[in-house]
């Protein structure tokens, strides 16, 4: 269940923007993982930042008060969709290890100044914008037109990008998330799908045309294929980013047993059963 953002920050629903900002700063300083070493500090810090991101923005706050954390379309507030501008996260490195925290659109360096009594020891980090794209756009690559910081930009998404990967630009990063597909399942550069075949094809073997990422392809069904068999089609998966190689397409075969058969079919099956009883099935 989604947490109440007002409760997370410890303020009332009628709190002013100034009260929300003060509450956020106090809690952010208290629970920042660089200062607070308790095991739940990082998770608490993220909750605080998420709450502040919404409540500090009058438009997002109004939508949250009306619809709750899920938003009007069932998606969280703040995700960039299509041509819009999303929230950003700040990333910095300490001892060579990259750390990322969502500061809710606020300037985290104000908080660092409270830690160290001066400017941030890490320097100004690049903002990261979240962008959600369709499955096939990730497979084939696409160029998205976005408005970021008031400027229209063409964002080129490379072929094969995976969910959670970032595209780096001079003064910002794009964090890519991918919507799931209704037919294909992705696992790295490999894809998985299911195909139902008739019993006769499973017994006798043959070739069947199936749906792939690049249209229809021919799938060879070996004689005696059992239901749930996984058949691999090499190099028909997703392209590895910055590589000429591709993953594989794995097809899980489901064998369909007919619910009704006519008298002739029944007789043939009975003869088959009788012959198999004498000599064994295969």
């Amino acid at each position: 269940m989604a947490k109440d953002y007002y409760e997370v920050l410890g303020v009332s629903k009628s709190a002013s923007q100034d009260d929300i900002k003060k509450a956020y700063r106090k809690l952010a300083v208290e629970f920042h993982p660089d200062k607070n070493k308790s095991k739940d500090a990082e998770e608490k810090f993220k909750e605080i930042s998420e709450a502040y991101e919404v409540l500090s923005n009058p438009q997002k706050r109004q939508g949250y008060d009306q619809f709750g954390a899920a938003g009007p379309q069932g998606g969280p507030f703040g995700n960039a969709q299509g041509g819009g501008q999303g929230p950003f996260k700040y990333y910095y490195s300490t001892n060579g290890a990259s750390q990322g925290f969502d500061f809710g659109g606020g300037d985290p360096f104000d908080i660092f100044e409270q830690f160290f009594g001066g400017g941030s020891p890490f320097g100004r980090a690049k903002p990261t914008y979240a962008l959600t794209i369709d499955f096939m756009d990730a497979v084939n690559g696409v160029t998205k037109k976005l408005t970021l910081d008031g400027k229209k930009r063409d964002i080129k998404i490379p072929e094969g990008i995976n969910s959670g990967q970032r595209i780096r630009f001079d003064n910002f990063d794009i964090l890519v998330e991918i919507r799931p597909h209704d037919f294909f399942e992705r696992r790295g550069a490999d894809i998985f799908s299911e195909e139902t075949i008739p019993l006769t094809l499973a017994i006798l073997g043959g070739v069947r045309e199936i749906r792939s990422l690049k249209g229809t392809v021919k799938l060879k069904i070996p004689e005696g294929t059992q239901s749930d068999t996984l058949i691999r089609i090499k190099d028909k998966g997703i392209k590895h980013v910055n590589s000429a190689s591709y993953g594989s397409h794995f097809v899980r075969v489901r064998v369909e047993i007919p619910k009704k058969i006519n008298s002739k079919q029944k007789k043939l099956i009975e003869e088959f059963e009788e012959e198999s009883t004498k000599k064994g099935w295969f």
Side-chain angles (χ1 to χ4, degrees), residues 183-184 191 193 195 206-221 231-237 248-251:
F183 183 76
F184 298 113
I191 63 163
S193 65
E195 191 71 24
V207 175
R208 186 180 184 88
E209 287 192 344
I210 66 162
R211 181 180 175 184
S212 77
L213 292 177
K214 303 296 183 181
T216 58
V217 296
K218 292 183 178 180
L219 178 69
K220 184 178 180 180
I221 308 294
I231 302 176
R232 178 192 179 198
I233 311 176
K234 187 179 179 182
D235 297 329
K236 292 297 182 181
S248 298
H249 183 172
F250 290 90
V251 181

Side-chain angles (χ1 to χ4, degrees), residues 197-207 221-225 272 282:
I197 64 173
L199 178 63
T200 51
L201 181 58
I203 294 173
L204 301 174
V207 175
I221 308 294
E223 182 179 327
T225 293
F272 177 77
F282 299 102

Side-chain angles (χ1 to χ4, degrees), residues 7-275:
E7 184 177 333
V8 170
L9 294 181
V11 297
S12 67
K13 291 188 176 181
S14 60
S16 67
Q17 290 296 311
D18 189 51
D19 290 336
I20 289 172
K21 186 174 182 179
K22 287 179 180 178
Y24 164 69
R25 288 191 175 205
K26 179 181 177 181
L27 292 170
V29 170
E30 180 181 353
F31 290 97
H32 193 283
D34 274 1
K35 186 175 182 181
N36 191 321
K37 300 303 181 182
S38 61
K39 61 180 182 179
D40 60 343
E42 181 175 337
E43 188 62 33
K44 181 68 175 177
F45 184 81
K46 290 179 180 179
E47 290 178 4
I48 295 164
S49 298
E50 179 182 343
Y52 180 71
E53 176 192 348
V54 174
L55 299 185
S56 64
N57 183 301
Q59 288 75 32
K60 291 182 182 180
R61 183 179 180 181
Q62 183 180 1
Y64 172 77
D65 289 343
Q66 184 175 357
F67 300 105
Q73 301 299 327
F77 282 102
N79 284 340
Q81 303 288 340
Q85 176 177 339
F88 54 88
K89 299 180 180 180
Y90 283 96
Y91 291 81
Y92 63 89
S93 297
T94 55
N95 299 324
S98 176
Q99 301 290 328
F101 299 101
D102 190 342
F103 291 88
D107 191 339
F109 301 99
D110 289 343
I111 298 173
F112 285 128
E113 288 175 2
Q114 296 180 48
F115 289 156
F116 303 102
S120 165
F122 309 115
R124 295 271 168 172
K126 294 190 297 183
T128 298
Y129 297 90
L131 175 65
T132 302
I133 63 175
D134 290 334
F135 184 93
M136 294 307 297
D137 283 343
V139 170
N140 299 316
V142 69
T143 297
K144 290 288 186 179
K145 294 183 180 295
L146 302 180
T147 300
L148 304 175
D149 294 332
K151 297 180 181 179
K152 293 184 178 179
R153 301 175 183 269
D154 289 336
I155 306 299
K156 186 175 182 180
I157 309 296
E159 179 183 354
I161 195 166
N162 208 345
S163 193
Q165 291 186 322
R166 280 188 287 167
I167 306 170
R168 298 186 179 277
F169 295 87
D170 289 340
N171 55 351
F172 64 91
D173 288 354
I174 295 290
L175 176 66
V176 177
E177 298 295 339
I178 301 171
R179 298 184 186 93
H181 198 272
D182 60 357
F183 183 76
F184 298 113
E185 177 188 350
R186 179 174 181 173
R187 300 180 192 174
D190 297 327
I191 63 163
F192 291 75
S193 65
E194 290 188 2
E195 191 71 24
T196 300
I197 64 173
L199 178 63
T200 51
L201 181 58
I203 294 173
L204 301 174
V207 175
R208 186 180 184 88
E209 287 192 344
I210 66 162
R211 181 180 175 184
S212 77
L213 292 177
K214 303 296 183 181
T216 58
V217 296
K218 292 183 178 180
L219 178 69
K220 184 178 180 180
I221 308 294
E223 182 179 327
T225 293
Q226 305 297 303
S227 193
D228 285 335
T229 296
L230 205 59
I231 302 176
R232 178 192 179 198
I233 311 176
K234 187 179 179 182
D235 297 329
K236 292 297 182 181
I238 298 172
K239 183 178 181 294
H240 293 275
V241 178
N242 299 324
S243 171
S245 64
Y246 286 77
S248 298
H249 183 172
F250 290 90
V251 181
R252 188 173 296 281
V253 175
R254 307 289 189 186
V255 178
E256 184 178 31
I257 306 298
K259 294 180 179 180
K260 293 182 179 180
I261 55 176
N262 58 38
S263 57
K264 183 178 180 180
Q265 290 169 329
K266 184 176 181 180
K267 183 177 180 180
L268 290 171
I269 292 175
E270 287 174 344
E271 291 176 357
F272 177 77
E273 171 67 20
E274 183 179 350
E275 184 71 16

